[in-house]
Amino acid sequence: ISFEQAQVQANNMREAIANNVITTINNKPLSCTASFGLTAKVTNKKTLKDLLSSADKALYQAKSTGRNQIRTY
């Protein structure tokens, strides 16, 4: 999967989660949102630990700038 395809998939998931409103037992709407952090392995020198760390940084950027969004690192 390309990085661009990953962005599209993450955005599709983000929108699906945001558009799914659940009615609680008290007939009150309950909604939630999701933020995603994405990174790409651009060289062979990046380890899995490096990739997870970069994705985690991107996720925290998304959360700190308003949530319900995708950030890349």
Side-chain angles (χ1 to χ4, degrees), residues 1 3 5-7 10 20 35 42 47 49 59 61 63 66 73:
I1 185 170
F3 190 71
Q5 290 170 321
Q7 288 177 300
N20 188 24
S35 295
V42 293
T47 65
K49 184 176 179 179
L59 175 60
Q61 286 177 348
K63 288 181 174 184
Y73 188 87

Side-chain angles (χ1 to χ4, degrees), residues 3-21:
F3 190 71
E4 291 77 19
Q5 290 170 321
Q7 288 177 300
V8 169
Q9 289 297 320
N11 194 54
N12 289 343
M13 289 186 288
R14 184 193 60 76
E15 287 178 349
I17 292 167
N19 291 330
N20 188 24
V21 179

Side-chain angles (χ1 to χ4, degrees), residues 21-64:
V21 179
I22 301 166
T23 303
T24 67
I25 196 165
N26 298 327
N27 283 335
K28 297 195 179 200
L30 175 67
S31 61
C32 65
T33 60
S35 295
F36 293 88
L38 299 176
T39 192
K41 185 173 182 177
V42 293
T43 68
N44 291 334
K45 295 180 182 178
K46 276 197 169 184
T47 65
L48 178 58
K49 184 176 179 179
D50 293 335
L51 291 169
L52 291 173
S53 177
S54 294
D56 194 48
K57 288 175 185 173
L59 175 60
Y60 279 96
Q61 286 177 348
K63 288 181 174 184
S64 69

